Amino acid sequence: MAVIRQEKRRLDYQKPDFTITDIDLTFDLDLTATVVTAVSRVKRLTTDGDKPLVLDGDSLKLLEVRLDGRECLYNETSNSLTIENVPDEFELTVKTEINPKDNSELMGLYVSDGKFCTQNEPEGFRRITFFTDHPDVLARYTTRIRAPEGAYPYMLSNGNLISDSVADGIRTVTWEDPFPKPSYLFALVAGDFDELHRDFETMSGRHVDVYLYVDKGQASCGTVAIESILKAMQWDEKRFGLEYDLNRFNVVAVDFFNAGAMENKSLNIFNSKYVLVDAKSATDTDFENVLSVIGHEYFHNWTGDRVTCRDWFQLSLKEGLTVFRDQEFSSDLCCRPIERIKAVNVIKGPQFAEDAGPMAHPIRPDYVMEMNNFYSVTVYDKGAEVIRMIHTILGEDLFQKGMKLYFKRHDGCAVTCEDFVAAMEDASGISLKQFRNWYSQAGTPCVSGSLSYDGNMKQATYTFNQTTPATPGQPKKEPFVIPLSMALYTSDGRRIPLKRDGKEVSEVQLLTEEHNVIVFDDVPEKPVTALLQNFSAPVRIEYPYAQGELETLLKCADDPVVRYESMQNIINSYIVLNTVNAQRRLPFTHSELVVQSVRYILEESGLDNRFMAYILRIPPVNTLMSLFTAIDLDAITASRKELVRVLAVELFDLWEKLYLKLSADLKNRIASGTAYECSEEQIGSRDLTRVALNFYVKGLILRGEDRKAGETVAQHYAVSDNMTDSLIALNAATLHNLESRHGILKDFEEKWQDNPLVFDNYFRAVASAPYPETMENVKSLMNHRCFDITNPNRVRALLGTFSMQNTECFNEISGAGYEFITEILIKLNSTNPHVAATIMTPMLNLNRLDNRRKSLITSCFNRLLHIEGLSDSIFEKIDRAFKQ
Ligand code: B3K
Ligand code: ZN
């Protein structure tokens, strides 16, 4: 049977014909047959009295429909319920039955490890009852949860607890949420948990009970998360003037979850990965993620819940803004430059890759088949960059003024990105007319610059041309407003003030045309130019740096992001040059610049450990791909390997010295009884240890000292008193295929096989090893007792790591990697297509790959297109890939 697939278009938005002002939900909980009774107050919004009421539904068993208490005629299809001839205002009762236990898609009401929970964004509520399941219908919810007494000690929903009583062996708990909200923010949780509690007093003196619910026995792993909630509440008051608005805030951690977490009103539900951490089992990154994800979901209370999206095309309205807010939160509480560099790496890695591929879309997409495919790095992270640019152009004060106006105008409403920009514009008096192109146009702009210096006039004249490559559906682009934060230096690294007509001008220059000329006066010598301080716009820069200029910036720039980017530029030039060499079968070109720069960083820079570790990062192959239009994977991989080899060999003594020092520091810390802690200083040592150990081990192997390499790593593992150091060793052992990996893996397995969340690190380490046997290892780990294909965390750790991080093995030229993942996609298609669609991302590059890989992927895609019941999630991606 031919499937009809429909794309929705942003411009087709129509106001709803009906709204639902109040809904009274009763859940009679049962693992396989939960009965949901929904009593809604429905009101007609249009003057056209003939329009029928059409409700969305998905995978529901309809038991009963009543209109004002009476039976009525209706028409049910697999995804809708239509009632003709309805009055302008009425009460609608819909009774449905659902099967939470068999809900493997994890959308709607499902069972996670024996506990009921929900995920309704974007379109999960229609899997609970027939409803106007779009975000522009805001209703007040009353939720009654019923279950046999004693079955589920905790039964939670949004808002305030109204009553909790038992009659005839049935317990009924009732919740009422005073804030009207869209259905995607509805939540229900029932099960047994350990409970953590804190008191919070808001800035206006209101008391809030903060609760965190975790698996039984895991309370000690929840303290970081609950403390993070309090930090987020405080920070939002201080920086944004935003106060929590209910007397209770609940967070629940569950093991089966498609995403990271969900901001349901006053009942956030989290993937336990972003809640459960303790000093023994969590890494530094896990700790940092808890703070940022807790912050993110909490901040949604205002940017998402109080003001929500009119339709899903506006997703970036809440996500871009909330990512910006969580980035600022982490930057204010932790280390700002590091947070910025982390964000830059997401943009220059996966986001630039998305922009260059068939799924490229503006941060406010124009057409969508499966909304779940658009919870993307573009909507989230580029969306946050767009907000950051507004912040850069307006400055903090006017930006905050804009936020105030936005809430004043739109509190309690479902609005558009346009409404947000208009508030920023009106509050600041600064026009953002042309700036709006960032919302409507996809693709990564490329700014190519050049400088001409006039020594007589002491004038520096810059020419900047912007071009943006065509993306699907958008062959031609209008120029963007690009805030370019510039700094000029003398060749010995002193800052030159930016002047025009005798006056100092802002560092932020706005490029608005395709062709732009910027002149600075009083420039004493030909300047060394920093072009994108703090990565002030999500663009690619092309600028012909003269010899020595990148080194000057690396050594002297005031802005840490510029120093970081200068080193990345030096590395990228090396990679481009030697990729071309590899393609032409020419010998590699040695680069003194790379070696000297790294030597400088290690010996003279005086940078702190953490920054040093970041600046020494060699981008992975899947980031380096963005440097090329046509991707020659083998040549890029070869040139990256050569770079690592050169650095390992030529700077061997430095790596050895550095590693030995850091490992001695570790031993001394442990000997002195100083505990592991997640301080910037300790994290910095560990970050740098990872870099130093890997280069040192590589150097040892290249000298034929494999044994010593293996022993060094094994020793590091043995000494470690924390998960980060243990994984530094474990990953080095698998990355370099050391003999000692067997012992380390075995020990890790024995220690952690009862903790699947920790064991995911084992899956990741094995799946990312760049060796021919990896795929077989991954396949056999699918039989490991910790693996469970129905749990998205396991799938992402083992199979997602293999397809997305292990570029070399996944793209192995026989096509075995593609075939393996295709088999997995077929399995997941019928159980959890949303997770399937995320792990297929690297295959979407097919048109930029060599012909052989392209045809291998093409046949996998053709195979997928022929399976019965192919989900929209997978179909949409293949369809776009073929059309590119
Ligand atoms: N808003 C949710 C995302 C839901 C994902 C659905 N596929 C989490 C967040 O961004 O905060
Ligand atoms: Zn979010």
Side-chain angles (χ1 to χ4, degrees), residues 121 261-263 296-297 300 303 315 318-320 322-323 326 375 380:
E121 184 179 359
M262 180 63 212
E263 70 265 24
H296 181 97
E297 304 311 328
H300 267 314
T303 50
L315 180 61
K318 71 177 178 80
E319 294 306 345
T322 305
V323 171
D326 85 53
Y375 287 75
Y380 275 65

Side-chain angles (χ1 to χ4, degrees), residues 99-113:
N99 182 342
K101 190 155 176 282
D102 284 354
N103 183 352
S104 60
E105 213 176 297
L106 313 184
M107 292 294 290
L109 178 70
Y110 64 93
V111 179
S112 166
D113 199 21

